[in-house]
Amino acid sequence: MRLEETVEAKCGKLRLDSWISSRISGISRARIQSSIKSGLVAVNGRVVNKVSHNVKGGDKVSCTISELQPLRAEPEDIPLEIVYEDEHLLVVNKPPHMVVHPAPGNPTGTLVNGILHHCSLPTVATSSQEVLSDVEDISDDEGLCSTLCGESVRPGIVHRLDKGTSGLLVVAKDEHAHAHLSEQFKQHSIQRVYASLTSGVPSALRGRIEIPIGRDVNNRIRMSAIPGPIKQGQARHAASRYKVIEILAGGGSALVEWRLETGRTHQIRAHAKYIGVPLLGDEVYGGTRSMALSLLRPRIPPSCHNQLSLMLSGLERPCLHALALGFTHPHTGEEIHFSCPPPPDFAGILSQLRKMGMEKV
């Protein structure tokens, strides 16, 4: 597919990938970005391979959309923390910064690559549009995930966690287990408990947030809680329950437990932002270092200020951990439950915040 068009004069500055996406329907942003990076896009006669390049009114854009190439997941010897395993499924404690499955922005080093090696399974090839349609750098949405490779479901990723989110995730080894677990997610009967550290404390110490979530129209890598009636194609029903466990650092932060009723992309992160307490370390949703400093510094002793700055400078992900997971075993019918504490980065920040002041709720 080719596009040759001039950017309208009334347009302000727009990212090149965003502008092309607005001019071509039915093509994923990831595929457009791949075409740009491959040198198939020119602006005013010059090849541009930077997806964030700004175009303006009057620019002449020439673009060829590349063919959709299957992703291949090769087995990789990646250390995995297996919490439970039998012949039908396994439960993994995913570390932060690991992507769940291969995508254009993360073709290797994923959980799927590690599981293929762990289970001694062959290379997986997929041209699944669901996998390829995610925007670069958010190919690891929390929510339901279809089978990775059509009829030969090995391994079967049933749900996903964001790249920065640590914690428990279940993987099906056979089709019956995959179908059964997927149905439990669909019926919202899976028990999922998350722990987070927030920037500030929710005004209500416990509550239920039932606000639809959809793609942020101003930022494609972000979701947004959109109040009001659900308009077709704009947002999907989403409900989260939360409870403040501890108020930390004089009210500058809180340890909050979340229980999900639905599994939308970035659900906790979007709902936390909506109630005014973005997750600590979540730069995409407003939990920036500067915000954390402005909330925490006035509430802690001056002697702790240097420690606070060091702590925040080392924070490289949203403080969110999948703490507990419970479901019906797809073959035995047994109710099984798993839990694992947060990893050292999360636990270390929690410990420091407690030292700055802690009040149990």
Side-chain angles (χ1 to χ4, degrees):
M1 181 180 293
R2 283 190 58 80
L3 169 74
E4 291 191 7
E5 206 168 309
T6 301
V7 180
E8 290 183 9
K10 64 181 180 181
C11 287
K13 281 188 177 181
L14 284 171
R15 277 176 57 120
L16 178 59
D17 58 344
S18 298
W19 183 82
I20 294 173
S21 183
S22 71
R23 309 307 299 168
I24 302 176
S25 60
I27 301 294
S28 72
R29 179 74 69 91
R31 196 167 160 197
I32 289 169
Q33 290 178 335
S34 175
S35 301
I36 295 170
K37 291 175 181 177
S38 298
L40 298 176
V41 177
V43 178
N44 299 325
R46 294 182 60 183
V47 171
V48 174
N49 55 21
K50 188 176 179 182
V51 298
S52 60
H53 175 84
N54 285 322
V55 293
K56 60 186 184 300
D59 283 348
K60 295 180 179 179
V61 179
S62 175
C63 169
T64 301
I65 301 298
S66 60
E67 298 246 345
L68 196 59
Q69 298 297 322
L71 290 167
R72 301 191 71 84
E74 302 279 352
E76 294 179 50
D77 188 2
I78 300 169
L80 298 175
E81 184 180 342
I82 308 295
V83 176
Y84 171 86
E85 182 174 14
D86 61 26
E87 61 184 310
H88 307 294
L89 58 87
L90 55 86
V91 176
V92 182
N93 182 18
K94 185 185 88 67
H97 311 299
M98 176 183 271
V99 172
V100 171
H101 58 65
N106 298 95
T108 61
T110 73
L111 183 67
V112 163
N113 296 111
I115 291 172
L116 288 172
H117 180 273
H118 174 79
C119 298
S120 300
L121 298 171
T123 298
V124 168
T126 175
S127 58
S128 163
Q129 191 60 36
E130 178 179 356
V131 173
L132 290 176
S133 65
D134 285 327
V135 179
E136 188 177 13
D137 298 331
I138 61 160
S139 57
D140 37 18
D141 299 349
E142 187 170 289
L144 294 182
C145 177
S146 70
T147 60
L148 192 66
C149 50
E151 295 178 0
S152 55
V153 187
R154 306 293 185 273
I157 302 296
V158 186
H159 63 131
R160 294 172 282 185
L161 297 174
D162 294 339
K163 179 180 180 180
T165 304
S166 56
L168 294 169
L169 187 140
V170 61
V171 180
K173 288 185 176 181
D174 59 58
E175 296 207 30
H176 174 79
H178 189 280
H180 198 284
L181 288 166
S182 295
E183 185 61 23
Q184 290 183 60
F185 274 98
K186 186 177 178 181
Q187 298 299 326
H188 312 309
S189 60
I190 297 273
Q191 296 175 10
R192 288 176 289 169
V193 182
Y194 292 75
S196 74
L197 295 173
T198 57
S199 299
V201 181
S203 55
L205 296 182
R206 64 170 62 216
R208 180 175 183 270
I209 308 165
E210 188 176 6
I211 303 292
I213 289 176
R215 188 73 67 188
D216 190 319
V217 295
N218 298 313
N219 186 338
R220 288 278 302 175
I221 70 168
R222 188 170 62 202
M223 306 303 287
S224 181
I226 304 171
I230 296 176
K231 296 178 182 177
Q232 189 172 7
Q234 281 196 344
R236 299 174 71 190
H237 170 71
S240 311
R241 295 181 184 273
Y242 74 89
K243 179 172 66 174
V244 176
I245 306 299
E246 296 174 11
I247 296 173
L248 303 164
S253 182
L255 175 63
V256 180
E257 176 189 283
W258 298 84
R259 294 177 183 266
L260 297 184
E261 295 181 20
T262 55
R264 304 302 178 215
T265 300
H266 297 181
Q267 179 171 319
I268 291 172
R269 298 166 67 186
H271 275 171
K273 175 181 171 64
Y274 178 77
I275 62 172
V277 288
L279 304 188
L280 202 62
D282 195 347
E283 299 279 334
V284 174
Y285 286 86
T288 60
R289 290 185 180 91
S290 59
M291 179 185 186
L293 279 169
S294 67
L295 286 168
L296 290 163
R297 282 177 68 93
R299 293 173 167 84
I300 63 174
S303 59
C304 294
H305 286 182
N306 285 341
Q307 180 189 356
L308 173 66
S309 296
L310 280 172
M311 179 187 79
L312 294 175
S313 67
L315 186 54
E316 296 180 339
R317 67 162 179 125
C319 287
L320 182 63
H321 175 71
L323 187 70
L325 182 67
F327 53 88
T328 304
H329 193 288
H331 284 267
T332 68
E334 178 188 1
E335 295 293 326
I336 52 178
H337 300 269
F338 305 94
S339 63
C340 63
D345 65 336
F346 186 116
I349 291 169
L350 175 57
S351 176
Q352 291 185 60
L353 289 171
R354 281 171 171 164
K355 290 175 183 176
M356 296 174 190
M358 189 266 282
E359 177 188 342
K360 289 270 187 185
V361 175

